[in-house]
Amino acid sequence: MPQSPLQSPSPCLPRLFSNPRADHERAYGPSERAILSRAAFEEAMAEIGAWPGYAPTPLRSLPGLAREAGIDRLWYKDESTRFALGSFKALGGAYAVLRLLAREVTARVPGVPVTALDLVVGRYASITRGMTVATATDGNHGRSVAWGAQVFGCACVVYVPAACSAGRRAAIEAYGARLVVVDGSYDDAVRRAAADAAAAGWLIVSDTSYTGYMDVPRDVMQGYSVMVEEAISQLPASERPTHVFVQGGVGALPAAVCGHLWESWGRQRPRFVVVEPHNADCLYQSAVAGRPTRSDGDLDTVMAGLACGEVSLLAWAILERGADDFLTIPDEGAVTTMRKLAEGRHGGRPIIAGESGVAGLAGLLCAAAHEEFRLALGLAPDARVLVFGTEGATDSEVYERIVGLAPEAVAAG
């Protein structure tokens, strides 16, 4: 593995850093289980699996794109139908809202277990109506938190960066949340939400962790593990993946996937590749530096949900030894991949996928197109790759502008 970045002279090609701290012999130990564990997963699965409308999302085989990538198998976990939100984020933000409200109610009514049903039917409405949850988001996480607040009976304030699209803002407000637009980046919105919440006595529900704030982001990540376990159960019994490519952001998603596979499969876990935009590469920069490090990019990327400049500390604690490679890609990689899925070039019916949700798949295709990256990543002809398509068209106008067709037209074939 290269221990210095592999970089093409062209900005249209990937950058790769293979992590010298990755260790497939290392057991998933107590320090990792304190963040994510199968025991906590079982609790999340029992809860989320009982929610109305829960059903495992499909794991799709993409033989056409597997041939294009020169590999044996390619599986795509399609989150475009997850609950009513069209994104894996429904598993994290809403679950964290439930857990947080249950803890707060229990603190006020000692000795009484609080269930999701209690909150849904308003048994403790006299308490929860006086509570407000707040979060920062580029779109999907805020929508999930707003949905959870509406379902479980509290108020919600969502902070978005100025670049957040009108469609994603409207989707958040549709669940009754108050929207605050921050003149700055996602990271600026995180800081503003934390400051306002501290002043007003609100409860923060963030998907990123930082010093002094760990419990809720842990719940968010644990909720994501439901998606990972579904994928494990849907894979052919004799065909485990050799590689997993997952998009980055603050690191919560890749840490959830990496941690769950690491604990479940140990030394037999797949090679794990984290994918980010060139201009929002905090995980890549952290891997190169060997410590949590800000992105030095301007965060301007079509992959809006990945436009994050600072790493989640909890996520980094998993990824610093669990992730094998860190890859960054240009925006055109995500755009081209969205169009290939919409056109059915994967070998099946069209798939509607959002610009952030395709980043892992785009990373695979970008890397596979160049021999030096194929060799560095071990993408041999017998490779079997799992990717997570984490969102559908969560903003129809943005999707149509990128793909050239409305989601409804793509779905109609």
Side-chain angles (χ1 to χ4, degrees):
M1 287 186 191
Q3 293 190 11
S4 58
L6 178 61
Q7 184 168 357
S8 165
S10 169
C12 295
L13 296 179
R15 291 180 302 162
L16 173 67
F17 180 75
S18 292
N19 183 13
R21 292 169 294 279
D23 182 2
H24 276 245
E25 296 301 312
R26 178 185 171 93
Y28 194 80
S31 62
E32 288 83 19
R33 286 194 179 89
I35 302 170
L36 297 166
S37 69
R38 287 201 65 90
F41 154 73
E42 297 291 349
E43 188 173 352
M45 183 72 253
E47 177 56 55
I48 294 170
W51 291 358
Y54 169 77
T57 55
L59 183 69
R60 306 194 187 281
S61 177
L62 308 183
L65 293 184
R67 286 191 296 271
E68 177 182 322
I71 60 175
D72 184 42
R73 296 282 189 277
L74 176 56
W75 296 288
Y76 178 94
K77 181 65 168 163
D78 184 358
E79 290 292 296
S80 64
T81 57
R82 181 67 72 183
F83 290 111
L85 279 74
S87 162
F88 82 108
K89 292 283 190 178
L91 299 170
Y95 178 63
V97 169
L98 166 63
R99 297 266 297 175
L100 184 55
L101 291 180
R103 286 194 293 268
E104 291 293 322
V105 171
T106 298
R108 291 162 172 76
V109 189
V112 179
V114 179
T115 68
L117 181 60
D118 289 334
L119 298 178
V120 170
V121 302
R123 186 162 295 151
Y124 299 103
S126 60
I127 298 174
T128 60
R129 283 176 187 158
M131 295 180 181
T132 298
V133 294
T135 193
T137 186
D138 282 310
N140 291 338
H141 173 71
R143 190 174 178 185
S144 178
V145 170
W147 176 56
Q150 185 181 73
V151 169
F152 299 121
C154 68
C156 181
V157 182
V158 178
Y159 293 74
V160 300
C164 182
S165 70
R168 291 191 172 100
R169 296 183 194 184
I172 292 167
E173 291 179 309
Y175 289 104
R178 178 163 70 86
L179 200 75
V180 177
V181 180
V182 176
D183 185 16
S185 68
Y186 165 78
D187 302 299
D188 295 321
V190 169
R191 286 186 282 270
R192 171 75 181 279
D196 287 2
W202 301 337
L203 305 169
I204 284 285
V205 182
S206 177
D207 61 350
T208 191
S209 59
Y210 40 86
T211 302
Y213 182 75
M214 299 289 177
D215 290 344
V216 173
R218 186 182 290 113
D219 288 336
V220 172
M221 289 193 291
Q222 200 66 73
Y224 296 162
S225 66
V226 170
M227 171 186 68
V228 189
E229 183 67 18
E230 287 177 3
I232 289 175
S233 68
Q234 291 166 325
L235 287 165
S238 61
E239 295 187 8
R240 280 188 183 176
T242 59
H243 296 68
V244 176
F245 284 67
V246 181
Q247 44 272 33
V250 297
L253 168 62
V257 178
C258 180
H260 197 76
L261 294 177
W262 186 356
E263 185 176 17
S264 299
W265 289 344
R267 289 181 294 178
Q268 304 304 312
R269 68 186 186 277
R271 185 165 183 163
F272 195 86
V273 185
V274 178
V275 182
E276 298 173 281
H278 279 335
N279 293 338
D281 61 348
C282 57
L283 296 168
Y284 178 96
Q285 295 296 340
S286 298
V288 172
R291 62 185 185 280
T293 302
R294 282 185 55 86
S295 172
D296 57 8
D298 60 12
L299 309 186
D300 182 15
T301 173
V302 72
M303 294 169 268
L306 306 181
C308 307
E310 298 180 24
V311 177
S312 168
L313 299 182
L314 280 177
W316 183 247
I318 296 288
L319 295 173
E320 66 176 333
R321 293 189 183 275
D324 296 285
D325 305 279
F326 294 82
L327 183 74
T328 75
I329 61 171
D331 279 4
E332 49 262 49
V335 169
T336 299
T337 301
M338 290 173 67
R339 292 172 179 167
K340 287 177 179 180
L341 292 174
E343 293 165 4
R345 288 169 59 182
H346 51 280
R349 68 176 183 79
I351 293 175
I352 298 170
E355 60 275 17
S356 300
V358 301
L361 176 56
L364 166 66
L365 297 178
C366 287
H370 304 283
E371 187 63 21
E372 67 271 33
F373 291 93
R374 292 182 60 87
L375 290 173
L377 289 167
L379 289 170
D382 62 350
R384 301 180 300 275
V385 179
L386 171 64
V387 299
F388 290 82
T390 50
E391 64 175 2
T394 54
D395 186 318
S396 295
E397 290 184 6
V398 170
Y399 182 87
E400 184 172 358
R401 186 164 65 246
I402 292 173
V403 173
L405 289 171
E408 297 79 11
V410 174

